[in-house]
Amino acid sequence: MAEKKELYGYEEEDIVTLEFDDGEEEECGILGVFEALGKEYIALNPLGTEDVYIYGYKEYEEDYEMTEIEDEEEFKKVVSEFEKLAVEEA
């Protein structure tokens, strides 16, 4: 029998697996895709935690790409925008 995965309230299609440079993997639930600074970003929640990861996001016809936000000022502004959206949702 297949092992049942704990989904922490997410639908299975709303879970992505991040693969880090050191070979580690982490499953995350998609909190949402949002726009800030004229670009799209994605907010992810590592399963079983209260952490939030934010990445740049581009969607293509049948695929998507996530990129790290390397500019500290951009990251601060994007986090601020995400926090505003999260408060509005609550």
Side-chain angles (χ1 to χ4, degrees), residues 40-87:
E40 284 195 319
Y41 297 89
I42 189 168
L44 305 174
N45 168 235
L47 298 183
T49 74
E50 293 184 14
D51 294 342
V52 176
Y53 297 162
I54 298 178
Y55 290 92
Y57 181 79
K58 282 189 181 177
E59 191 167 339
Y60 303 102
E61 283 186 34
E62 295 186 26
D63 203 9
Y64 63 91
E65 173 184 25
M66 293 188 299
T67 56
E68 287 191 41
I69 304 169
E70 304 213 2
D71 180 275
E72 194 171 326
E73 278 304 306
E74 176 185 359
F75 184 75
K76 286 179 184 177
K77 290 176 183 175
V78 171
V79 167
S80 176
E81 188 62 31
F82 173 75
E83 288 172 343
K84 285 184 211 169
L85 293 171
V87 167

Side-chain angles (χ1 to χ4, degrees), residues 20-34:
F20 298 102
D21 291 340
D22 63 2
E24 291 289 315
E25 292 185 348
E26 186 164 27
E27 289 189 319
C28 298
I30 300 172
L31 292 171
V33 175
F34 63 99

